[in-house]
């Protein structure tokens, strides 16, 4: 019944990127592989997937990196969880599996 040909069209401009983990810079991917995480901007060089973000200095950051967070959300898909290999990725436009 569902045996129709695949078009193999990439969904969205980020369709080919793997979403970021909580320890990676998500500035380029703009999406987070972990449920409930959002890609928040620290500065023009770093963004990170976190559950929440508070503007200003994060005392949990290493001393040498204690500069203010802006907490702006990266990209339209910053708040979405990427799809697994068996899920429909039409809405998320990104894949959590490599």
């Amino acid at each position: 019944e569902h045996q129709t040909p695949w078009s193999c069209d990439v969904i969205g401009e980020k369709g080919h990127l793997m979403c970021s983990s909580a320890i990676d810079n998500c500035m380029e991917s703009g999406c987070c592989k972990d449920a409930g995480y959002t890609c928040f901007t620290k500065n023009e060089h770093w963004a990170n997937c976190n559950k929440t973000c508070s503007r200003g200095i994060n005392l949990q950051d290493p001393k040498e990196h204690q500069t203010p967070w802006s907490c702006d959300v990266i990209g339209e898909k910053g708040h979405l969880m990427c799809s697994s290999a068996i899920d429909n990725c039409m809405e998320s436009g990104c894949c959590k599996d490599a």
Side-chain angles (χ1 to χ4, degrees):
E1 165 186 350
H2 297 288
Q3 292 184 351
T4 57
W6 285 80
S7 71
C8 296
D9 293 337
V10 174
I11 305 294
E13 67 180 79
K14 295 188 186 325
H16 64 287
L17 296 176
M18 186 171 142
C19 290
S20 303
S21 72
I23 60 170
D24 296 323
N25 187 344
C26 58
M27 181 110 18
E28 185 178 329
S29 72
C31 61
C32 302
K33 68 167 60 173
D34 299 313
Y37 282 66
T38 299
C39 182
F40 292 107
T41 303
K42 178 172 187 165
N43 55 39
E44 65 274 9
H45 304 290
W46 185 259
N48 196 236
C49 293
N50 293 300
K51 288 190 174 193
T52 62
C53 189
S54 297
R55 291 184 189 274
I57 304 285
N58 181 342
L59 297 177
Q60 301 299 315
D61 286 343
K63 278 274 192 217
E64 66 272 16
H65 298 293
Q66 286 186 3
T67 57
W69 283 79
S70 72
C71 294
D72 295 330
V73 174
I74 297 286
E76 294 175 35
K77 299 186 185 335
H79 65 285
L80 295 176
M81 184 176 141
C82 292
S83 304
S84 74
I86 60 169
D87 293 328
N88 184 338
C89 62
M90 290 289 286
E91 185 177 328
S92 70
C94 61
C95 305
K96 72 166 111 176
D97 304 317

